[in-house]
Every structure is written in structure tokens, then in C-alpha cells.
Amino acid sequence: MEQMFITPIKPLNSIGNVGNDKKVTSGQTGSTMFQDIFKEAIQNVKDTDKDLATQEYLLSTGQIDDAHTVPAAAAKAQLSVDLLTVLRNKALESYNEIIRINI
């Protein structure tokens, strides 16, 4: 009969470690991560908009076989803009909340 091994539970050092094994970031590193999220969202908007323009050009010149790719590219571009808008709104809400904190 095979012996089963039970992996012991590791204690958490802080609540920030839940879900990942990385250290909690703060200071300049946290700022860089926050900035990277927005840079990635902006780049995603640019990429999807460029893809939509390419798909529309191919459709208008008759070089595309399946016309359903254009609405799919439009939906993808709209979703990326919506995501960026939501990120911006949440960042502004968080900033305003921090400003309201009394020290």
C-alpha cells in the first residue's frame, strides 16, 4: 500500500501574501507596478485599434474572406477602451479617497 504525504500548511506573514508567493511591494517598486498596469492597458488599446483599422481596410478592399472578424475586432477594441476607462476611474476614486483621509 502506498503511503500518502500531506504537505504542511505554511503560515502567512501578512495578508498581502495571499494568492502569491512574492513579497508585498511598496514604495518605488509598487509605483512601478502600478505604472506598468496603465502602460499595458494603453498599449492594449493602441494594439486593438490598429488591428481594427487593419481589419476594416482588408474588408473594404475585399482582401478578407470572413466578414465576421471585423465586428469581433471592433468588440475587442471597445472592451480594451472600456477596461482602460474603468482603470482610470478606479484610480481616481482611490486617489480621492486617500486625499480625504485625515492624518
Side-chain angles (χ1 to χ4, degrees):
M1 182 176 232
E2 235 178 90
Q3 242 183 344
M4 297 191 68
F5 180 73
I6 298 173
T7 306
I9 298 173
K10 295 185 217 174
L12 294 174
N13 295 334
S14 69
I15 194 70
N17 291 336
V18 174
N20 62 5
D21 293 332
K22 299 177 186 175
K23 286 186 174 181
V24 177
T25 58
S26 62
Q28 191 64 27
T29 306
S31 174
T32 304
M33 289 177 59
F34 185 75
Q35 184 179 15
D36 289 345
I37 291 170
F38 278 97
K39 283 184 178 179
E40 184 178 336
I42 291 168
Q43 188 60 45
N44 191 16
V45 169
K46 289 179 182 178
D47 292 344
T48 55
D49 188 46
K50 186 177 180 180
D51 182 48
L52 176 59
T54 303
Q55 293 296 328
E56 288 173 340
Y57 173 77
L58 291 174
L59 180 66
S60 65
T61 58
Q63 300 177 23
I64 197 166
D65 293 333
D66 47 352
H68 72 277
T69 58
V70 177
K76 193 174 180 180
Q78 184 61 44
L79 283 173
S80 66
V81 170
D82 291 345
L83 175 65
L84 181 61
T85 304
V86 168
L87 284 173
R88 183 208 57 190
N89 291 344
K90 289 295 181 181
L92 287 174
E93 287 175 18
S94 300
Y95 175 77
N96 288 332
E97 192 69 29
I98 290 170
I99 293 299
R100 280 187 244 145
I101 294 175
N102 291 330
I103 297 177

